[in-house]
Amino acid sequence: MRDSAIITIPSHPKYLSIVRAVTGKMAELSGMAESAIEDVKLAVDEACSNVIKHAYKGNVYQKIILRFKTSPKGFEVIIEDNGLKVHPESLVGRDLEDIKPGGLGIHFIKKVFDIFAFDEKKKKGNRLRLLRYIKGKDGD
Amino acid sequence: MRDSAIITIPSHPKYLSIVRAVTGKMAELSGMAESAIEDVKLAVDEACSNVIKHAYKGNVYQKIILRFKTSPKGFEVIIEDNGLKVHPESLVGRDLEDIKPGGLGIHFIKKVFDIFAFDEKKKKGNRLRLLRYIKGKDGD
Amino acid sequence: MEIEIVVYKGTKVMELSGEIDMYTSPELRKELMGLLQRKVSPLLVDFKEVSYIDSSGIATFVEGLKGIKTYGGRLKFFSIPDRIVEIFNFSKLDRVFEIYRNLDEAIKS
Amino acid sequence: MEIEIVVYKGTKVMELSGEIDMYTSPELRKELMGLLQRKVSPLLVDFKEVSYIDSSGIATFVEGLKGIKTYGGRLKFFSIPDRIVEIFNFSKLDRVFEIYRNLDEAIKS
Ligand SMILES: Nc1ncnc2c1ncn2[C@@H]1O[C@H](COP(=O)(O)OP(=O)(O)O)[C@@H](O)[C@H]1O
Ligand SMILES: Nc1ncnc2c1ncn2[C@@H]1O[C@H](COP(=O)(O)OP(=O)(O)O)[C@@H](O)[C@H]1O
């Protein structure tokens, strides 16, 4: 095993601070720039919040698995749950001009990750793959 | 799943900062006092360093699994590896009066954890169980 | 996250610190709704010690702003760390919230 | 962990910051051994910005102390955060290392 880490947590919002801590450290180890690290922490937090809210409908005793992998290609996070299947057509953030609560998570995720893709082969639950390609020195 | 978390990391020292971050957050969630949290972070770091040094003989590409559990009984960490079996008779820290490098890890672990026990039933590798009982307000 | 309500020169100031996320934002929401129920205005929010905010925290403030506007009240933010300004800008909420550099500017305006 | 070597009034001061653990202590060891090779004395170590030390960091300093003593040199620590003082005390190393409150006391003594 190398350049990777796996964490399994309950689907309770109090574990989001652990998700952020691990995400931040893994991003740091990957050599990412400080501002991108902050964006990545926010994005992974949002993806897990969505699992809790949408896939698990607020049930806080389910399981979320996060797999981190750093490689010359980029920084990858795979997030798995056993909740309700995502409807791909529902995966849209709100129009940023239409000010109302909610609908920002997907925007924050797509801001920093180049790939945001649910694995269609997973039978039960969801497997979200997030990948950020290695950027040049001032890449954002 | 509740009141628990699992992390799997490579046996590379660069992952110790992740171990400390998760340990600290889990201890915080368990409601532990600040000074005990610091002791627990150090202890779990030392236990993982020992796995890298002694069980894996410095091989940094093996696997370490940490399971955290908080309960009314206390704060538990179970650390698993697939390395060389521990010889229980070797598990002694140095005499603190005998100043020399090394031999402090076990002291730091036993300072804060009430139970320090290798599971003899595990066939390959090691399973170390650390448990700290819930202490009164000023318990140390 | 910690919330403290102080009164500065007769004005209510909500001093926030720590991380605002899906775990802590319900408490923020409760506090905010309590103040709106009493039709507090203006309500100032000090972000200086806020180290993190996610979309649930932002949603809470968007809801708070909508609520305070129903009675013509004003919600003013100040001392927002750069990182959080960046998040507000990205979300185009810098145009929606009243944002000031510090307490004095927030009070005066 | 970051290491900077500065010279203050003719005395070498190693300024440490961050976390000293099994990952970072080899770099500390290398730096320390380099200074001992040149028989530096006294060598002062500023702990003010050290946020963490584990047994590998302590072992490195115990080794450094043994090394510096072979040529009659002195190793002096100063500005150690309470948490780390606690660890030194527990390990009974407060009796072994020369520990001072600040740079001036370390230089003068
Ligand atoms: N993990 C998920 N499982 C199911 N649906 C999801 C998931 N993530 C996002 N969605 C859908 O995408 C929509 C937009 O998500 P987001 O931008 O995070 O805003 P919000 O969660 O506040 O609605 C959600 O309302 C939901 O319908
Ligand atoms: N996980 C482990 N696997 C095998 N042996 C171990 C393990 N942890 C500790 N030991 C043994 O216990 C001894 C004392 O450990 P410790 O106090 O941490 O000091 P150090 O690791 O510096 O020698 C070690 O030298 C080693 O022989």
Side-chain angles (χ1 to χ4, degrees):
Chain A
M1 184 180 196
R2 65 172 83 185
D3 301 325
S4 57
I6 307 168
I7 61 169
T8 307
I9 50 159
S11 54
H12 192 296
K14 69 183 171 187
Y15 291 87
L16 292 172
S17 65
I18 293 182
V19 167
R20 293 194 296 273
V22 174
T23 304
K25 293 277 177 196
M26 284 302 292
E28 225 177 285
L29 290 181
S30 83
M32 204 180 283
E34 185 56 45
S35 73
I37 293 177
E38 290 305 313
D39 282 348
V40 161
K41 279 162 72 172
L42 175 59
V44 177
D45 168 313
E46 296 288 348
C48 292
S49 296
N50 278 344
V51 169
I52 302 172
K53 284 189 296 183
H54 305 299
Y56 287 134
K57 296 282 172 212
N59 180 337
V60 297
Y61 301 124
Q62 299 303 306
K63 202 187 274 188
I64 305 176
I65 304 175
L66 294 101
R67 293 165 207 278
F68 298 86
K69 199 173 194 114
T70 68
S71 73
K73 199 165 146 196
F75 181 78
E76 186 179 60
V77 188
I78 291 171
I79 303 173
E80 275 186 43
D81 65 66
N82 293 308
L84 300 172
K85 272 258 175 252
V86 151
H87 296 290
E89 67 284 3
S90 73
L91 285 171
V92 277
R94 67 163 161 82
D95 180 348
L96 286 176
E97 306 293 337
D98 174 23
I99 304 302
K100 61 182 181 190
L104 288 175
I106 302 266
H107 288 293
F108 288 142
I109 298 170
K110 291 189 172 170
K111 174 175 190 272
V112 66
F113 282 106
D114 302 296
I115 292 182
F116 169 94
F118 282 90
D119 183 348
E120 282 164 22
K121 281 175 296 188
K122 188 160 160 62
K123 287 215 186 73
K124 207 188 158 297
N126 304 287
R127 182 185 295 122
L128 173 61
R129 176 164 175 256
L130 302 175
L131 177 71
R132 178 180 165 83
Y133 293 116
I134 296 286
K135 306 286 152 102
K137 262 233 157 248
D138 50 0
D140 208 31
Chain B
M1 184 180 195
R2 67 173 81 185
D3 300 325
S4 57
I6 306 169
I7 60 169
T8 306
I9 52 159
S11 54
H12 192 295
K14 69 183 171 186
Y15 292 87
L16 291 172
S17 65
I18 293 182
V19 166
R20 293 194 295 274
V22 175
T23 304
K25 293 277 178 197
M26 284 301 292
E28 225 178 286
L29 289 181
S30 82
M32 204 181 283
E34 185 56 44
S35 72
I37 292 176
E38 290 305 313
D39 282 349
V40 160
K41 278 163 72 173
L42 176 59
V44 176
D45 169 313
E46 296 288 348
C48 292
S49 296
N50 279 343
V51 169
I52 301 172
K53 285 189 294 181
H54 305 299
Y56 286 134
K57 296 281 174 211
N59 181 336
V60 298
Y61 302 125
Q62 299 302 307
K63 200 187 274 188
I64 306 177
I65 305 174
L66 294 100
R67 292 164 207 279
F68 298 87
K69 200 175 192 108
T70 67
S71 73
K73 199 165 146 194
F75 180 78
E76 187 178 61
V77 188
I78 291 170
I79 303 173
E80 276 187 42
D81 65 66
N82 294 308
L84 300 171
K85 271 258 175 251
V86 150
H87 296 290
E89 67 284 2
S90 73
L91 285 170
V92 277
R94 69 165 161 81
D95 179 350
L96 286 177
E97 305 293 338
D98 175 23
I99 305 302
K100 61 181 182 192
L104 287 175
I106 303 266
H107 288 293
F108 288 142
I109 298 169
K110 291 190 172 171
K111 174 175 190 271
V112 66
F113 281 106
D114 301 297
I115 292 181
F116 170 93
F118 281 90
D119 184 347
E120 285 165 19
K121 280 174 296 185
K122 187 160 162 57
K123 287 213 185 76
K124 206 187 158 298
N126 304 287
R127 182 185 293 121
L128 172 61
R129 178 165 174 256
L130 302 175
L131 178 70
R132 177 180 164 83
Y133 293 116
I134 295 289
K135 307 285 152 102
K137 260 232 155 254
D138 49 0
D140 209 30
Chain C
M1 185 201 59
E2 306 277 331
I3 304 176
E4 224 173 310
I5 309 290
V6 300
V7 177
Y8 179 77
K9 295 184 181 168
T11 299
K12 280 222 157 52
V13 181
M14 176 184 273
E15 294 181 348
L16 291 176
S17 58
E19 304 190 316
I20 309 176
D21 66 2
M22 193 185 164
Y23 182 45
T24 58
S25 59
E27 194 193 330
L28 171 63
R29 188 176 181 281
K30 202 176 128 207
E31 197 71 39
L32 212 50
M33 294 308 141
L35 292 162
L36 300 202
Q37 207 122 55
R38 285 178 280 136
K39 298 207 182 339
V40 167
S41 179
L43 174 63
L44 276 55
V45 184
D46 183 351
F47 275 79
K48 190 158 85 257
E49 301 297 331
V50 177
S51 53
Y52 181 81
I53 191 165
D54 73 359
S55 69
S56 71
I58 293 175
T60 305
F61 280 118
V62 169
E63 199 186 339
L65 181 65
K66 297 222 160 182
I68 210 163
K69 278 184 168 169
T70 59
Y71 57 87
R74 286 174 73 186
L75 180 66
K76 302 178 184 184
F77 296 169
F78 68 93
S79 297
I80 308 183
D82 289 349
R83 166 65 189 161
I84 294 173
V85 168
E86 210 182 279
I87 292 172
F88 283 154
N89 292 353
F90 174 79
S91 324
K92 305 202 174 177
L93 289 168
D94 51 331
R95 314 177 198 166
V96 176
F97 292 123
E98 287 190 50
I99 294 179
Y100 300 94
R101 270 187 297 184
N102 53 46
L103 175 55
D104 280 327
E105 289 189 9
I107 290 238
K108 274 189 209 129
S109 71
Chain D
M1 184 199 62
E2 305 278 331
I3 304 177
E4 224 172 310
I5 310 291
V6 299
V7 177
Y8 179 77
K9 294 184 180 169
T11 299
K12 279 222 157 52
V13 181
M14 176 184 272
E15 295 182 346
L16 292 175
S17 59
E19 304 191 316
I20 308 175
D21 66 2
M22 192 184 165
Y23 182 46
T24 58
S25 60
E27 195 194 329
L28 172 63
R29 188 176 179 282
K30 202 177 128 208
E31 197 70 41
L32 213 50
M33 294 308 141
L35 292 162
L36 300 202
Q37 207 121 55
R38 287 179 278 137
K39 296 208 183 337
V40 167
S41 180
L43 174 62
L44 275 55
V45 184
D46 183 350
F47 275 80
K48 188 156 89 254
E49 300 297 331
V50 177
S51 54
Y52 182 80
I53 190 164
D54 73 358
S55 70
S56 71
I58 294 175
T60 306
F61 280 119
V62 169
E63 199 186 338
L65 182 66
K66 297 221 161 182
I68 209 164
K69 278 184 169 168
T70 59
Y71 58 87
R74 285 173 74 186
L75 182 65
K76 302 178 183 185
F77 296 169
F78 68 94
S79 297
I80 308 182
D82 289 350
R83 165 65 190 162
I84 293 174
V85 168
E86 212 182 277
I87 291 172
F88 282 154
N89 292 353
F90 174 79
S91 325
K92 304 202 174 176
L93 289 168
D94 51 331
R95 312 178 200 164
V96 175
F97 292 122
E98 288 189 51
I99 295 178
Y100 300 94
R101 270 186 298 183
N102 52 46
L103 175 56
D104 280 327
E105 289 189 10
I107 291 239
K108 274 188 206 130
S109 72

